[in-house]
Amino acid sequence: MEHPSLAGRIFRGVALTLILIFFMFPIVWIFLMSFQTNEQILRIPPRILFEPTLANYEALISGQLRTAAGNLQISFMRNLFNSVVLSSAAVLLALLLGVPAAYAFARFRFRLGESIAFTLLSFRFAPPLLVLLPLSLYYQELGLNDTYFGIVWVYQLIALPLILWIVRGYFEDISPDIEHAYRLAGHSWREAFTRIAVPLAGPGIAAAGLLSFIFCWNNFVFALILASADKQPVTVGALAFVTASGIQYGQIAAAIVLSVTPTLLLALYAQRYLVEGLSLGAVKG
């Protein structure tokens, strides 16, 4: 086996460094902006060296946004709490519904099975504006408008198709002979599903749940139309920083840092399951 030359290793290292700088620069720049005032951010030319301030984070935590027009009340921490509750509940519900459905699509062949699965997948790629008007009308009639349950239920358009298709591919990779042998030992179908199939598909389920959580967390349109200010997530709550006296860039940057941190930590913690689940389950067939 030939080893790469010194020049090849240097070139690869330089290329990887440039790619890393290219993709990480916006994140680093937003992080630096979160410790600057509006005057420092809008300074031309921009400066790397500056006197940092925690005023942006203090405004978010205290709920007092100081602008040229006066102090404004914001509820960013409430919005952050809403994002955690809504995304977690939506993913949990999608897992409870999607994992058994994915197993059924993977193990059994029934009439219109592929058509139903493809229809569910099409919901994921349909523009949200396509369903917002009828959803809003139905929600008003059913009393689900401006409720946590209503938002969690509509988030199933995001999470459920993703979980269904990723986990389905993972179940298809698992040999059914293992489950047949377990059932021959006298165990029921339910026990074979919960004790054999689900543990073996654990990485795929974890990957699908993580991706669904991220997509639900980043959703903007559904919560903007179907929820009021006290139930909206951080993606909608960030609109509070566009005020009559101008855009509060420092607070927006700090809000981005705080809102990205939970999903980033979750992704770093579960990256092994994410890589394994996507590489083995999502590329089936």
Side-chain angles (χ1 to χ4, degrees):
M1 180 176 179
E2 297 182 0
H3 295 282
S5 63
L6 178 60
R9 292 197 298 269
I10 294 176
F11 175 79
R12 184 174 60 180
V14 172
L16 291 176
T17 302
L18 292 176
I19 293 173
L20 181 63
I21 293 174
F22 177 80
F23 285 104
M24 292 298 296
F25 178 78
I27 299 176
V28 174
W29 191 255
I30 290 175
F31 180 75
L32 295 177
M33 284 175 56
S34 67
F35 295 99
Q36 301 180 54
T37 62
N38 261 17
E39 291 75 15
Q40 293 173 324
I41 294 172
L42 299 175
R43 181 184 300 157
I44 300 177
R47 298 180 183 177
I48 300 296
L49 300 178
F50 59 90
E51 183 179 351
T53 177
L54 295 176
N56 297 324
Y57 291 97
E58 293 175 357
L60 297 182
I61 296 174
S62 65
Q64 296 288 334
L65 180 61
R66 298 179 180 86
T67 66
N71 291 346
L72 297 178
Q73 294 286 339
I74 58 175
S75 55
F76 177 80
M77 300 308 294
R78 174 75 178 184
N79 298 138
L80 187 62
F81 173 77
N82 289 340
S83 289
V84 175
V85 172
L86 293 173
S87 301
S88 301
V91 171
L92 180 60
L93 179 60
L95 287 173
L96 291 176
L97 298 176
V99 173
Y103 182 81
F105 282 116
R107 287 289 182 264
F108 306 106
R109 296 293 178 263
F110 48 90
R111 187 179 179 184
L112 301 179
E114 291 298 323
S115 299
I116 295 173
F118 183 79
T119 302
L120 292 173
L121 181 64
S122 66
F123 292 152
R124 177 66 187 85
F125 300 104
L129 295 177
L130 185 67
V131 297
L132 267 178
L133 179 58
L135 270 178
S136 180
L137 296 177
Y138 282 129
Y139 269 37
Q140 290 178 5
E141 293 181 2
L142 297 174
L144 295 177
N145 201 37
D146 194 23
T147 62
Y148 284 112
F149 180 78
I151 303 175
V152 169
W153 191 250
V154 78
Y155 274 5
Q156 299 310 301
L157 294 175
I158 303 172
L160 189 57
L162 195 63
I163 289 175
L164 177 63
W165 276 85
I166 293 180
V167 179
R168 176 192 180 182
Y170 212 92
F171 279 135
E172 290 176 346
D173 281 342
I174 301 173
S175 174
D177 295 338
I178 303 176
E179 301 168 36
H180 293 163
Y182 189 75
R183 293 188 64 185
L184 288 175
H187 299 282
S188 65
W189 172 87
R190 186 186 303 273
E191 291 175 328
F193 170 70
T194 56
R195 298 182 181 180
I196 301 298
V198 171
L200 290 177
I205 296 174
L210 175 60
L211 289 177
S212 301
F213 183 88
I214 293 174
F215 281 117
C216 290
W217 184 282
N218 292 334
N219 182 261
F220 174 80
V221 178
F222 288 141
L224 176 65
I225 302 300
L226 301 176
S228 60
D230 62 332
K231 295 181 179 64
Q232 290 173 341
V234 290
T235 50
V236 182
L239 294 176
F241 304 113
V242 181
T243 65
S245 60
I247 301 176
Q248 309 301 315
Y249 295 101
Q251 283 83 6
I252 291 177
I256 291 174
V257 172
L258 291 180
S259 61
V260 167
T261 298
T263 54
L264 179 61
L265 294 177
L266 182 61
L268 291 176
Y269 174 76
Q271 60 179 333
R272 178 173 64 88
Y273 300 102
L274 180 63
V275 174
E276 184 179 355
L278 292 180
S279 61
L280 295 180
V283 298
K284 175 71 177 178

